Short mmCIF file of all heavy atoms in Angstrom, two decimals:
data_model
loop_
_atom_site.label_atom_id
_atom_site.label_comp_id
_atom_site.label_asym_id
_atom_site.label_seq_id
_atom_site.Cartn_x
_atom_site.Cartn_y
_atom_site.Cartn_z
N MET A 239 -32.70 -8.09 -24.13
CA MET A 239 -32.96 -8.20 -22.65
C MET A 239 -31.89 -9.08 -21.96
O MET A 239 -31.47 -8.81 -20.89
CB MET A 239 -34.34 -8.75 -22.39
CG MET A 239 -34.77 -8.63 -21.04
SD MET A 239 -34.97 -6.90 -20.69
CE MET A 239 -35.73 -6.99 -19.11
N ILE A 240 -31.47 -10.11 -22.74
CA ILE A 240 -30.38 -11.03 -22.19
C ILE A 240 -29.11 -10.19 -22.04
O ILE A 240 -28.39 -10.46 -21.10
CB ILE A 240 -30.18 -12.22 -23.12
CG1 ILE A 240 -31.49 -13.14 -23.08
CG2 ILE A 240 -28.98 -13.04 -22.71
CD1 ILE A 240 -31.50 -14.36 -23.99
N THR A 241 -28.87 -9.35 -23.02
CA THR A 241 -27.62 -8.48 -22.90
C THR A 241 -27.59 -7.67 -21.63
O THR A 241 -26.56 -7.53 -20.99
CB THR A 241 -27.49 -7.63 -24.16
OG1 THR A 241 -27.51 -8.49 -25.37
CG2 THR A 241 -26.20 -6.86 -24.18
N TYR A 242 -28.77 -7.15 -21.32
CA TYR A 242 -28.89 -6.28 -20.12
C TYR A 242 -28.53 -7.14 -18.91
O TYR A 242 -27.79 -6.63 -17.97
CB TYR A 242 -30.27 -5.82 -20.04
CG TYR A 242 -30.65 -4.96 -18.72
CD1 TYR A 242 -30.17 -3.72 -18.58
CD2 TYR A 242 -31.25 -5.59 -17.66
CE1 TYR A 242 -30.43 -3.04 -17.46
CE2 TYR A 242 -31.55 -5.00 -16.53
CZ TYR A 242 -31.12 -3.67 -16.40
OH TYR A 242 -31.36 -2.95 -15.26
N PHE A 243 -29.09 -8.33 -18.84
CA PHE A 243 -28.77 -9.14 -17.60
C PHE A 243 -27.24 -9.56 -17.56
O PHE A 243 -26.68 -9.60 -16.51
CB PHE A 243 -29.63 -10.40 -17.57
CG PHE A 243 -31.04 -10.09 -17.29
CD1 PHE A 243 -32.08 -10.49 -18.23
CD2 PHE A 243 -31.39 -9.50 -16.14
CE1 PHE A 243 -33.38 -10.21 -17.91
CE2 PHE A 243 -32.77 -9.16 -15.88
CZ PHE A 243 -33.71 -9.59 -16.69
N LYS A 244 -26.69 -9.85 -18.72
CA LYS A 244 -25.26 -10.13 -18.75
C LYS A 244 -24.39 -8.88 -18.26
O LYS A 244 -23.51 -9.01 -17.48
CB LYS A 244 -24.81 -10.54 -20.12
CG LYS A 244 -25.22 -11.88 -20.53
CD LYS A 244 -24.77 -12.28 -21.95
CE LYS A 244 -25.22 -13.58 -22.35
NZ LYS A 244 -24.79 -13.93 -23.74
N MET A 245 -24.85 -7.71 -18.73
CA MET A 245 -24.15 -6.47 -18.34
C MET A 245 -24.28 -6.22 -16.85
O MET A 245 -23.34 -5.88 -16.17
CB MET A 245 -24.80 -5.29 -19.14
CG MET A 245 -24.07 -3.98 -18.79
SD MET A 245 -24.81 -2.62 -19.65
CE MET A 245 -26.43 -2.49 -18.86
N LYS A 246 -25.46 -6.44 -16.30
CA LYS A 246 -25.72 -6.29 -14.90
C LYS A 246 -24.88 -7.25 -14.00
O LYS A 246 -24.39 -6.96 -12.96
CB LYS A 246 -27.22 -6.44 -14.55
CG LYS A 246 -27.99 -5.20 -14.84
CD LYS A 246 -27.56 -4.05 -13.98
CE LYS A 246 -28.30 -2.86 -14.20
NZ LYS A 246 -27.83 -1.70 -13.38
N ARG A 247 -24.80 -8.47 -14.58
CA ARG A 247 -24.06 -9.53 -13.82
C ARG A 247 -22.58 -9.06 -13.79
O ARG A 247 -21.94 -9.22 -12.74
CB ARG A 247 -24.21 -10.86 -14.54
CG ARG A 247 -23.50 -11.95 -13.86
CD ARG A 247 -23.75 -13.30 -14.45
NE ARG A 247 -23.09 -14.37 -13.80
CZ ARG A 247 -22.62 -15.43 -14.32
NH1 ARG A 247 -22.93 -15.65 -15.65
NH2 ARG A 247 -22.02 -16.30 -13.66
N LYS A 248 -22.00 -8.67 -14.86
CA LYS A 248 -20.65 -8.10 -14.90
C LYS A 248 -20.42 -6.93 -14.03
O LYS A 248 -19.46 -6.78 -13.28
CB LYS A 248 -20.21 -7.79 -16.28
CG LYS A 248 -20.03 -9.08 -17.16
CD LYS A 248 -19.64 -8.71 -18.59
CE LYS A 248 -19.52 -9.93 -19.42
NZ LYS A 248 -19.17 -9.62 -20.77
N GLU A 249 -21.42 -6.06 -13.90
CA GLU A 249 -21.46 -4.93 -13.07
C GLU A 249 -21.35 -5.35 -11.58
O GLU A 249 -20.60 -4.81 -10.76
CB GLU A 249 -22.67 -4.09 -13.34
CG GLU A 249 -22.65 -2.74 -12.46
CD GLU A 249 -23.96 -2.00 -12.74
OE1 GLU A 249 -24.58 -2.05 -13.82
OE2 GLU A 249 -24.39 -1.36 -11.74
N TRP A 250 -22.13 -6.35 -11.25
CA TRP A 250 -22.13 -6.82 -9.86
C TRP A 250 -20.81 -7.42 -9.57
O TRP A 250 -20.40 -7.32 -8.36
CB TRP A 250 -23.29 -7.81 -9.67
CG TRP A 250 -24.65 -7.14 -9.72
CD1 TRP A 250 -24.96 -5.85 -9.58
CD2 TRP A 250 -25.87 -7.88 -9.99
NE1 TRP A 250 -26.38 -5.67 -9.72
CE2 TRP A 250 -26.86 -6.91 -10.07
CE3 TRP A 250 -26.19 -9.14 -10.38
CZ2 TRP A 250 -28.22 -7.21 -10.25
CZ3 TRP A 250 -27.51 -9.52 -10.55
CH2 TRP A 250 -28.52 -8.57 -10.49
N LYS A 251 -20.21 -8.10 -10.49
CA LYS A 251 -18.94 -8.71 -10.21
C LYS A 251 -17.85 -7.68 -9.88
O LYS A 251 -17.05 -7.75 -8.90
CB LYS A 251 -18.48 -9.61 -11.35
CG LYS A 251 -19.18 -10.89 -11.47
CD LYS A 251 -18.60 -11.78 -12.64
CE LYS A 251 -19.32 -13.07 -12.68
NZ LYS A 251 -18.76 -13.85 -13.86
N VAL A 252 -17.87 -6.64 -10.73
CA VAL A 252 -16.93 -5.56 -10.56
C VAL A 252 -17.19 -4.86 -9.19
O VAL A 252 -16.23 -4.56 -8.41
CB VAL A 252 -16.94 -4.53 -11.70
CG1 VAL A 252 -16.15 -3.28 -11.42
CG2 VAL A 252 -16.49 -5.17 -12.99
N LYS A 253 -18.41 -4.56 -8.97
CA LYS A 253 -18.70 -3.91 -7.60
C LYS A 253 -18.31 -4.82 -6.43
O LYS A 253 -17.81 -4.33 -5.44
CB LYS A 253 -20.24 -3.65 -7.51
CG LYS A 253 -20.71 -2.40 -8.30
CD LYS A 253 -22.17 -2.22 -8.07
CE LYS A 253 -22.58 -0.97 -8.88
NZ LYS A 253 -24.07 -0.66 -8.68
N ALA A 254 -18.53 -6.11 -6.54
CA ALA A 254 -18.16 -6.99 -5.46
C ALA A 254 -16.62 -6.99 -5.33
O ALA A 254 -16.12 -6.98 -4.10
CB ALA A 254 -18.59 -8.41 -5.75
N LEU A 255 -15.81 -6.93 -6.33
CA LEU A 255 -14.44 -6.90 -6.28
C LEU A 255 -13.96 -5.53 -5.58
O LEU A 255 -13.05 -5.60 -4.76
CB LEU A 255 -13.80 -7.01 -7.68
CG LEU A 255 -13.82 -8.39 -8.29
CD1 LEU A 255 -13.26 -8.37 -9.72
CD2 LEU A 255 -13.00 -9.37 -7.48
N ILE A 256 -14.62 -4.53 -6.02
CA ILE A 256 -14.28 -3.18 -5.41
C ILE A 256 -14.51 -3.19 -3.93
O ILE A 256 -13.82 -2.78 -3.07
CB ILE A 256 -14.94 -2.04 -6.12
CG1 ILE A 256 -14.39 -1.97 -7.53
CG2 ILE A 256 -14.83 -0.76 -5.34
CD1 ILE A 256 -15.14 -0.95 -8.49
N TYR A 257 -15.71 -3.68 -3.55
CA TYR A 257 -16.14 -3.74 -2.08
C TYR A 257 -15.21 -4.64 -1.35
O TYR A 257 -14.86 -4.33 -0.23
CB TYR A 257 -17.56 -4.07 -1.99
CG TYR A 257 -18.53 -3.10 -2.51
CD1 TYR A 257 -19.85 -3.49 -3.06
CD2 TYR A 257 -18.27 -1.72 -2.47
CE1 TYR A 257 -20.66 -2.58 -3.57
CE2 TYR A 257 -19.17 -0.78 -3.03
CZ TYR A 257 -20.37 -1.22 -3.56
OH TYR A 257 -21.24 -0.35 -4.05
N GLU A 258 -14.80 -5.73 -1.88
CA GLU A 258 -13.90 -6.64 -1.21
C GLU A 258 -12.52 -5.97 -0.99
O GLU A 258 -11.93 -6.05 0.06
CB GLU A 258 -13.70 -7.92 -2.01
CG GLU A 258 -14.89 -8.84 -1.99
CD GLU A 258 -14.72 -10.08 -2.81
OE1 GLU A 258 -13.59 -10.33 -3.25
OE2 GLU A 258 -15.68 -10.73 -3.11
N PHE A 259 -12.07 -5.24 -2.03
CA PHE A 259 -10.78 -4.48 -1.85
C PHE A 259 -10.89 -3.52 -0.73
O PHE A 259 -10.02 -3.32 0.10
CB PHE A 259 -10.41 -3.89 -3.19
CG PHE A 259 -9.25 -2.99 -3.12
CD1 PHE A 259 -7.94 -3.59 -2.96
CD2 PHE A 259 -9.32 -1.58 -3.06
CE1 PHE A 259 -6.86 -2.68 -2.89
CE2 PHE A 259 -8.27 -0.77 -2.97
CZ PHE A 259 -6.97 -1.34 -2.84
N ILE A 260 -12.03 -2.66 -0.75
CA ILE A 260 -12.21 -1.67 0.26
C ILE A 260 -12.21 -2.19 1.66
O ILE A 260 -11.64 -1.74 2.56
CB ILE A 260 -13.39 -0.80 -0.07
CG1 ILE A 260 -13.24 0.01 -1.30
CG2 ILE A 260 -13.80 0.11 1.14
CD1 ILE A 260 -14.44 0.71 -1.87
N THR A 261 -12.96 -3.30 1.79
CA THR A 261 -13.04 -4.07 3.06
C THR A 261 -11.64 -4.51 3.56
O THR A 261 -11.35 -4.36 4.75
CB THR A 261 -14.05 -5.21 3.02
OG1 THR A 261 -15.36 -4.74 2.56
CG2 THR A 261 -14.21 -5.89 4.31
N ALA A 262 -10.92 -5.15 2.67
CA ALA A 262 -9.57 -5.58 2.98
C ALA A 262 -8.59 -4.51 3.40
O ALA A 262 -7.87 -4.57 4.34
CB ALA A 262 -8.99 -6.45 1.81
N ALA A 263 -8.74 -3.43 2.65
CA ALA A 263 -7.90 -2.23 2.98
C ALA A 263 -8.30 -1.67 4.36
O ALA A 263 -7.37 -1.27 5.14
CB ALA A 263 -8.03 -1.20 1.85
N ALA A 264 -9.53 -1.55 4.63
CA ALA A 264 -9.99 -0.99 5.90
C ALA A 264 -9.56 -1.92 7.06
O ALA A 264 -9.14 -1.42 8.12
CB ALA A 264 -11.50 -0.78 5.94
N GLU A 265 -9.67 -3.21 6.82
CA GLU A 265 -9.25 -4.17 7.82
C GLU A 265 -7.74 -4.06 8.08
O GLU A 265 -7.27 -4.21 9.18
CB GLU A 265 -9.65 -5.55 7.40
CG GLU A 265 -9.50 -6.64 8.49
CD GLU A 265 -10.02 -7.98 8.01
OE1 GLU A 265 -11.18 -8.06 7.78
OE2 GLU A 265 -9.16 -8.93 7.94
N SER A 266 -6.97 -3.95 6.99
CA SER A 266 -5.53 -3.89 7.10
C SER A 266 -5.15 -2.61 7.86
O SER A 266 -4.25 -2.66 8.72
CB SER A 266 -4.96 -3.86 5.75
OG SER A 266 -3.52 -3.66 5.80
N ALA A 267 -5.82 -1.55 7.56
CA ALA A 267 -5.57 -0.22 8.26
C ALA A 267 -5.88 -0.33 9.78
O ALA A 267 -5.13 0.18 10.61
CB ALA A 267 -6.33 0.90 7.64
N GLN A 268 -6.93 -1.03 10.00
CA GLN A 268 -7.36 -1.17 11.44
C GLN A 268 -6.35 -2.06 12.21
O GLN A 268 -5.96 -1.78 13.36
CB GLN A 268 -8.76 -1.86 11.51
CG GLN A 268 -9.19 -2.12 12.94
CD GLN A 268 -9.44 -0.79 13.70
OE1 GLN A 268 -9.83 0.20 13.13
NE2 GLN A 268 -9.19 -0.85 14.98
N ASN A 269 -5.80 -3.13 11.52
CA ASN A 269 -4.77 -3.93 12.13
C ASN A 269 -3.43 -3.19 12.37
O ASN A 269 -2.88 -3.33 13.37
CB ASN A 269 -4.48 -5.18 11.22
CG ASN A 269 -5.69 -6.19 11.24
OD1 ASN A 269 -6.51 -6.06 12.09
ND2 ASN A 269 -5.68 -7.03 10.24
N LEU A 270 -3.14 -2.30 11.43
CA LEU A 270 -2.01 -1.54 11.55
C LEU A 270 -2.07 -0.49 12.65
O LEU A 270 -1.20 -0.33 13.43
CB LEU A 270 -1.70 -0.75 10.17
CG LEU A 270 -0.46 0.17 10.23
CD1 LEU A 270 0.82 -0.61 10.41
CD2 LEU A 270 -0.44 0.91 8.90
N PHE A 271 -3.27 0.12 12.69
CA PHE A 271 -3.53 1.08 13.82
C PHE A 271 -3.43 0.41 15.16
O PHE A 271 -2.87 0.98 16.12
CB PHE A 271 -4.83 1.75 13.61
CG PHE A 271 -5.23 2.73 14.68
CD1 PHE A 271 -4.62 3.99 14.76
CD2 PHE A 271 -6.15 2.35 15.71
CE1 PHE A 271 -4.94 4.83 15.72
CE2 PHE A 271 -6.47 3.26 16.74
CZ PHE A 271 -5.84 4.48 16.73
N THR A 272 -4.05 -0.84 15.26
CA THR A 272 -3.97 -1.56 16.51
C THR A 272 -2.54 -1.94 16.86
O THR A 272 -2.10 -1.85 18.05
CB THR A 272 -4.80 -2.83 16.44
OG1 THR A 272 -6.10 -2.45 16.10
CG2 THR A 272 -4.77 -3.63 17.65
N ALA A 273 -1.72 -2.34 15.88
CA ALA A 273 -0.31 -2.65 16.14
C ALA A 273 0.52 -1.54 16.59
O ALA A 273 1.38 -1.65 17.38
CB ALA A 273 0.29 -3.37 14.90
N LEU A 274 0.27 -0.41 15.94
CA LEU A 274 1.02 0.79 16.25
C LEU A 274 0.47 1.59 17.42
O LEU A 274 1.06 2.62 17.78
CB LEU A 274 1.19 1.74 15.04
CG LEU A 274 1.88 1.11 13.77
CD1 LEU A 274 1.92 2.07 12.69
CD2 LEU A 274 3.25 0.79 14.26
N GLY A 275 -0.63 1.17 17.96
CA GLY A 275 -1.25 1.89 19.05
C GLY A 275 -0.35 2.08 20.32
O GLY A 275 -0.51 3.11 21.05
N ASP A 276 0.59 1.17 20.54
CA ASP A 276 1.40 1.25 21.75
C ASP A 276 2.64 2.04 21.49
O ASP A 276 3.40 2.34 22.49
CB ASP A 276 1.84 -0.15 22.19
CG ASP A 276 0.65 -1.06 22.54
OD1 ASP A 276 -0.43 -0.46 22.86
OD2 ASP A 276 0.75 -2.31 22.51
N ILE A 277 2.88 2.48 20.33
CA ILE A 277 4.13 3.21 20.02
C ILE A 277 3.79 4.70 19.96
O ILE A 277 2.77 5.17 19.32
CB ILE A 277 4.69 2.82 18.65
CG1 ILE A 277 4.98 1.28 18.68
CG2 ILE A 277 5.96 3.65 18.27
CD1 ILE A 277 5.48 0.67 17.38
N SER A 278 4.59 5.53 20.57
CA SER A 278 4.42 6.99 20.64
C SER A 278 4.69 7.63 19.31
O SER A 278 5.48 7.05 18.43
CB SER A 278 5.18 7.64 21.76
OG SER A 278 6.57 7.70 21.41
N VAL A 279 4.18 8.77 19.01
CA VAL A 279 4.37 9.56 17.77
C VAL A 279 5.79 9.94 17.57
O VAL A 279 6.36 9.81 16.54
CB VAL A 279 3.41 10.74 17.77
CG1 VAL A 279 3.68 11.63 16.50
CG2 VAL A 279 1.97 10.33 17.77
N ASP A 280 6.40 10.22 18.71
CA ASP A 280 7.89 10.62 18.67
C ASP A 280 8.70 9.47 18.23
O ASP A 280 9.64 9.62 17.46
CB ASP A 280 8.33 11.19 19.97
CG ASP A 280 7.66 12.43 20.34
OD1 ASP A 280 7.37 13.23 19.40
OD2 ASP A 280 7.53 12.82 21.53
N GLU A 281 8.40 8.30 18.74
CA GLU A 281 9.18 7.09 18.29
C GLU A 281 9.04 6.85 16.81
O GLU A 281 9.96 6.47 16.12
CB GLU A 281 8.80 5.84 19.14
CG GLU A 281 9.23 5.91 20.55
CD GLU A 281 8.79 4.62 21.31
OE1 GLU A 281 8.82 3.56 20.73
OE2 GLU A 281 8.36 4.84 22.41
N LEU A 282 7.78 6.92 16.30
CA LEU A 282 7.47 6.67 14.95
C LEU A 282 8.17 7.70 14.04
O LEU A 282 8.79 7.38 13.07
CB LEU A 282 5.97 6.73 14.68
CG LEU A 282 5.13 5.57 15.15
CD1 LEU A 282 3.66 5.83 14.93
CD2 LEU A 282 5.49 4.29 14.43
N ARG A 283 8.21 8.97 14.48
CA ARG A 283 8.77 10.07 13.71
C ARG A 283 10.32 9.76 13.65
O ARG A 283 10.91 9.94 12.60
CB ARG A 283 8.49 11.39 14.45
CG ARG A 283 9.07 12.57 13.67
CD ARG A 283 8.81 13.87 14.32
NE ARG A 283 7.39 14.09 14.36
CZ ARG A 283 6.72 14.43 15.50
NH1 ARG A 283 7.39 14.57 16.66
NH2 ARG A 283 5.39 14.61 15.50
N GLN A 284 10.95 9.44 14.84
CA GLN A 284 12.33 9.14 14.81
C GLN A 284 12.70 7.97 13.93
O GLN A 284 13.73 7.96 13.20
CB GLN A 284 12.81 8.81 16.21
CG GLN A 284 14.32 8.73 16.45
CD GLN A 284 15.00 10.18 16.00
OE1 GLN A 284 14.48 11.19 16.22
NE2 GLN A 284 16.14 9.97 15.39
N GLU A 285 11.86 6.89 13.88
CA GLU A 285 12.13 5.73 13.10
C GLU A 285 12.06 6.14 11.56
O GLU A 285 12.82 5.73 10.75
CB GLU A 285 11.17 4.59 13.34
CG GLU A 285 11.45 3.91 14.63
CD GLU A 285 12.81 3.14 14.57
OE1 GLU A 285 13.07 2.51 13.55
OE2 GLU A 285 13.41 3.05 15.61
N LEU A 286 11.05 6.98 11.24
CA LEU A 286 10.91 7.38 9.83
C LEU A 286 12.09 8.30 9.39
O LEU A 286 12.57 8.10 8.27
CB LEU A 286 9.57 8.28 9.67
CG LEU A 286 9.28 8.81 8.37
CD1 LEU A 286 9.09 7.65 7.31
CD2 LEU A 286 8.11 9.71 8.39
N ILE A 287 12.49 9.19 10.27
CA ILE A 287 13.64 10.03 9.96
C ILE A 287 14.86 9.20 9.75
O ILE A 287 15.65 9.37 8.81
CB ILE A 287 13.82 11.12 11.02
CG1 ILE A 287 12.69 12.12 10.98
CG2 ILE A 287 15.22 11.78 10.85
CD1 ILE A 287 12.68 13.10 12.09
N SER A 288 15.12 8.24 10.61
CA SER A 288 16.28 7.31 10.51
C SER A 288 16.22 6.49 9.14
O SER A 288 17.23 6.37 8.44
CB SER A 288 16.30 6.33 11.67
OG SER A 288 16.46 6.99 12.89
N ALA A 289 15.07 6.00 8.83
CA ALA A 289 14.90 5.24 7.59
C ALA A 289 15.21 6.15 6.38
O ALA A 289 15.91 5.68 5.37
CB ALA A 289 13.54 4.65 7.43
N ILE A 290 14.70 7.32 6.39
CA ILE A 290 14.85 8.22 5.24
C ILE A 290 16.34 8.61 5.10
O ILE A 290 16.93 8.70 4.05
CB ILE A 290 14.02 9.52 5.39
CG1 ILE A 290 12.55 9.12 5.14
CG2 ILE A 290 14.43 10.60 4.38
CD1 ILE A 290 11.54 10.19 5.47
N ALA A 291 16.97 8.89 6.30
CA ALA A 291 18.42 9.25 6.29
C ALA A 291 19.24 8.10 5.70
O ALA A 291 20.27 8.25 4.97
CB ALA A 291 18.92 9.53 7.70
N GLU A 292 18.91 6.82 6.11
CA GLU A 292 19.70 5.70 5.59
C GLU A 292 19.50 5.60 4.08
O GLU A 292 20.53 5.34 3.34
CB GLU A 292 19.23 4.40 6.19
CG GLU A 292 19.63 4.17 7.71
CD GLU A 292 19.08 2.93 8.31
OE1 GLU A 292 18.65 2.07 7.55
OE2 GLU A 292 19.04 2.90 9.53
N LEU A 293 18.28 5.82 3.59
CA LEU A 293 18.07 5.77 2.10
C LEU A 293 18.89 6.86 1.41
O LEU A 293 19.47 6.61 0.34
CB LEU A 293 16.63 5.84 1.85
CG LEU A 293 15.75 4.63 2.19
CD1 LEU A 293 14.26 4.95 2.00
CD2 LEU A 293 16.15 3.40 1.38
N ALA A 294 18.75 8.02 1.92
CA ALA A 294 19.46 9.21 1.35
C ALA A 294 21.00 8.96 1.37
O ALA A 294 21.69 9.22 0.34
CB ALA A 294 19.18 10.45 2.10
N ASN A 295 21.53 8.38 2.46
CA ASN A 295 22.93 8.09 2.58
C ASN A 295 23.33 7.02 1.55
O ASN A 295 24.38 7.22 0.88
CB ASN A 295 23.28 7.68 3.95
CG ASN A 295 24.74 7.56 4.11
OD1 ASN A 295 25.59 8.16 3.47
ND2 ASN A 295 25.15 6.76 5.16
N GLY A 296 22.56 6.05 1.37
CA GLY A 296 22.85 4.97 0.32
C GLY A 296 22.77 5.51 -1.03
O GLY A 296 23.63 5.17 -1.85
N GLN A 297 21.89 6.36 -1.28
CA GLN A 297 21.78 6.97 -2.67
C GLN A 297 22.93 7.86 -2.92
O GLN A 297 23.50 7.90 -4.00
CB GLN A 297 20.45 7.68 -2.78
CG GLN A 297 20.18 8.23 -4.11
CD GLN A 297 18.88 8.95 -4.30
OE1 GLN A 297 18.14 9.14 -3.31
NE2 GLN A 297 18.55 9.32 -5.56
N ALA A 298 23.33 8.63 -1.90
CA ALA A 298 24.51 9.55 -2.10
C ALA A 298 25.77 8.74 -2.35
O ALA A 298 26.62 9.14 -3.25
CB ALA A 298 24.72 10.48 -0.91
N GLU A 299 25.92 7.63 -1.66
CA GLU A 299 27.09 6.81 -1.82
C GLU A 299 27.04 6.20 -3.29
O GLU A 299 28.07 6.06 -3.90
CB GLU A 299 27.13 5.69 -0.76
CG GLU A 299 27.59 6.20 0.60
CD GLU A 299 27.58 5.11 1.66
OE1 GLU A 299 27.27 3.91 1.28
OE2 GLU A 299 27.90 5.34 2.72
N ASN A 300 25.91 5.78 -3.75
CA ASN A 300 25.80 5.19 -5.05
C ASN A 300 26.09 6.19 -6.17
O ASN A 300 26.59 5.85 -7.19
CB ASN A 300 24.39 4.60 -5.27
CG ASN A 300 24.22 3.27 -4.50
OD1 ASN A 300 25.15 2.63 -4.20
ND2 ASN A 300 22.91 2.86 -4.33
N GLU A 301 25.72 7.47 -5.90
CA GLU A 301 25.97 8.50 -6.83
C GLU A 301 27.50 8.87 -6.91
O GLU A 301 28.08 9.22 -7.95
CB GLU A 301 25.15 9.71 -6.60
CG GLU A 301 23.64 9.58 -6.88
CD GLU A 301 22.84 10.76 -6.50
OE1 GLU A 301 23.40 11.80 -6.01
OE2 GLU A 301 21.61 10.71 -6.78
N GLN A 302 28.15 8.79 -5.76
CA GLN A 302 29.55 9.07 -5.67
C GLN A 302 30.34 7.94 -6.29
O GLN A 302 31.44 8.12 -6.86
CB GLN A 302 29.98 9.33 -4.28
CG GLN A 302 29.46 10.62 -3.73
CD GLN A 302 29.87 10.86 -2.29
OE1 GLN A 302 30.38 9.98 -1.61
NE2 GLN A 302 29.54 12.10 -1.68
N ASN A 303 29.92 6.68 -6.05
CA ASN A 303 30.59 5.49 -6.62
C ASN A 303 29.62 4.68 -7.46
O ASN A 303 29.15 3.74 -7.00
CB ASN A 303 31.11 4.64 -5.33
CG ASN A 303 32.01 5.30 -4.43
OD1 ASN A 303 32.84 6.18 -4.87
ND2 ASN A 303 31.90 5.09 -3.18
N PRO A 304 29.43 5.15 -8.64
CA PRO A 304 28.48 4.40 -9.54
C PRO A 304 28.90 3.00 -9.89
O PRO A 304 28.00 2.18 -10.22
CB PRO A 304 28.47 5.28 -10.79
CG PRO A 304 29.65 6.14 -10.77
CD PRO A 304 30.10 6.21 -9.42
N GLU A 305 30.14 2.61 -9.93
CA GLU A 305 30.52 1.25 -10.20
C GLU A 305 30.21 0.25 -9.00
O GLU A 305 30.10 -0.95 -9.27
CB GLU A 305 32.05 1.15 -10.58
CG GLU A 305 32.96 1.48 -9.35
CD GLU A 305 33.23 2.92 -9.18
OE1 GLU A 305 32.83 3.75 -9.95
OE2 GLU A 305 33.86 3.22 -8.17
N ARG A 306 30.06 0.78 -7.84
CA ARG A 306 29.69 -0.02 -6.72
C ARG A 306 28.30 0.18 -6.36
O ARG A 306 27.85 1.11 -5.72
CB ARG A 306 30.60 0.34 -5.57
CG ARG A 306 30.46 -0.61 -4.34
CD ARG A 306 31.33 -0.17 -3.23
NE ARG A 306 30.60 -0.34 -2.02
CZ ARG A 306 30.69 0.38 -0.97
NH1 ARG A 306 31.45 1.44 -0.89
NH2 ARG A 306 29.99 0.11 0.07
N GLU A 307 27.41 -0.77 -6.80
CA GLU A 307 25.94 -0.68 -6.51
C GLU A 307 25.66 -1.57 -5.43
O GLU A 307 26.15 -2.68 -5.26
CB GLU A 307 25.16 -1.12 -7.78
CG GLU A 307 25.32 -0.18 -8.98
CD GLU A 307 24.57 -0.59 -10.11
OE1 GLU A 307 23.59 -1.34 -9.89
OE2 GLU A 307 24.89 -0.24 -11.27
N SER A 308 24.64 -1.14 -4.58
CA SER A 308 24.11 -1.97 -3.50
C SER A 308 22.97 -2.78 -4.04
O SER A 308 22.06 -2.24 -4.74
CB SER A 308 23.78 -1.19 -2.25
OG SER A 308 22.50 -0.64 -2.44
N HIS A 309 22.91 -4.01 -3.64
CA HIS A 309 21.77 -4.85 -4.06
C HIS A 309 20.91 -5.16 -2.93
O HIS A 309 20.74 -6.26 -2.42
CB HIS A 309 22.35 -6.15 -4.72
CG HIS A 309 23.11 -5.93 -5.90
ND1 HIS A 309 22.60 -5.54 -7.11
CD2 HIS A 309 24.52 -5.92 -6.14
CE1 HIS A 309 23.52 -5.45 -7.95
NE2 HIS A 309 24.72 -5.73 -7.37
N THR A 310 20.21 -4.15 -2.34
CA THR A 310 19.25 -4.35 -1.26
C THR A 310 17.89 -4.43 -1.73
O THR A 310 17.48 -4.00 -2.64
CB THR A 310 19.44 -3.25 -0.21
OG1 THR A 310 19.51 -2.00 -0.85
CG2 THR A 310 20.64 -3.53 0.71
#
């Protein structure tokens, strides 16, 4: 019977950790949504495309010049 209670206690700890993680993730998503609420979808899309283009350009340059690596 003692083993059962120990097992249940560990189960509650794991559940508490999972629920805390879910709560923190939901709160973070809400904060992100609130912060990005003033920015239009077109601006976000343009920023994303620009960031991807910069990454692709940097990767292409690294592939063409393997001895010169960027440390970003």
Side-chain angles (χ1 to χ4, degrees):
M239 193 67 171
I240 293 175
T241 306
Y242 175 78
F243 290 124
K244 287 181 181 179
M245 182 183 68
K246 281 297 182 181
R247 183 175 180 209
K248 289 179 183 180
E249 179 184 331
W250 292 338
K251 284 183 181 181
V252 170
K253 283 183 179 180
L255 288 173
I256 291 171
Y257 293 148
E258 287 176 15
F259 174 77
I260 292 171
T261 303
E265 188 175 300
S266 177
Q268 181 65 32
N269 291 341
L270 178 63
F271 179 74
T272 302
L274 295 176
D276 297 339
I277 301 173
S278 72
V279 174
D280 292 331
E281 289 178 41
L282 288 174
R283 184 179 298 127
Q284 189 61 34
E285 287 293 322
L286 178 63
I287 291 170
S288 297
I290 292 172
E292 287 178 17
L293 289 173
N295 188 22
Q297 185 177 6
E299 287 178 0
N300 286 340
E301 288 177 1
Q302 289 177 355
N303 302 324
E305 67 277 351
R306 188 179 140 215
E307 296 182 17
S308 82
H309 297 286
T310 42

